[in-house]
Amino acid sequence: MTTVAIEEDFKQAMRRLATTIALITSGRGDSWAGMAATAVTSIAGSPPTILISVNRNASLHPVVMESRRFCVNLLSERHRDLVGIFSGAKKGAERFESGLWTASDEGLPVLGDAVASLICSVVSTVDVATHSLFIGEVDRIANHPEIDPLIWVDGRFGSASLLE
């Protein structure tokens, strides 16, 4: 297979990987930055560690590099509108005009009604192709009582609720 064919097949394969949409945020004060992402992965449970992948051209990248902290806000069906906003419909601080945003003790933007928010400290960074992989040790977590993640699969929204 050619490189182009592999890259196209890879994109199609990844469209079949259903995952929760997250808003990854960082910054302090008036320098908040954020982006919508599905490239979030649990690495270890002890200590709790996760990995995020951020394009080096994204506005979030230099903010995470400087602060060495980030927050992963897992989205719910009620956050559908935020995905477009954090995917480029708005820029910079305007992204935080929608949603229930508060500052953590460290100054990070935290979505108050997220399915879960994980505040992390960067312990390692690896550059791969056009992206940086930030490995973060989880410092604090806020879990929402309702588990209803907003899912992204095949370029579309889906949802998954746990019913008792």
Side-chain angles (χ1 to χ4, degrees), residues 84-162:
I85 290 169
F86 278 79
S87 295
K90 291 188 178 183
K91 301 291 183 197
E94 287 183 353
R95 290 180 174 176
F96 298 93
E97 292 172 355
S98 299
L100 302 172
W101 295 101
T102 60
S104 71
D105 292 344
E106 303 82 4
L108 292 167
V110 176
L111 185 59
D113 63 342
V115 172
S117 296
L118 299 94
I119 295 173
C120 304
S121 297
V122 175
V123 294
S124 184
T125 304
V126 179
D127 287 335
V128 179
T130 57
H131 287 63
S132 290
L133 306 179
F134 294 101
I135 299 170
E137 193 169 304
V138 179
D139 299 320
R140 197 165 49 260
I141 301 167
N143 285 318
H144 193 277
E146 190 175 347
I147 302 173
D148 59 342
L150 181 60
I151 306 296
W152 189 252
V153 63
D154 196 24
R156 295 177 295 189
F157 291 114
S159 62
S161 294
L162 296 178

Side-chain angles (χ1 to χ4, degrees), residues 23-84:
L23 297 182
I24 301 171
T25 58
S26 189
R28 292 185 64 90
D30 60 355
S31 67
W32 282 0
M35 68 176 218
T38 55
V40 175
T41 302
S42 168
I43 295 178
S46 182
T49 308
I50 59 176
L51 176 147
I52 61 170
S53 178
V54 180
N55 189 304
R56 286 192 294 280
N57 290 326
S59 60
L60 177 67
H61 189 274
V63 180
V64 175
M65 286 294 287
E66 181 181 325
S67 72
R68 307 303 290 170
R69 301 189 68 79
F70 61 88
C71 182
V72 174
N73 299 278
L74 301 178
L75 299 186
S76 166
E77 176 66 33
R78 63 186 164 274
H79 301 118
R80 258 186 203 231
D81 293 344
L82 294 177
V83 176

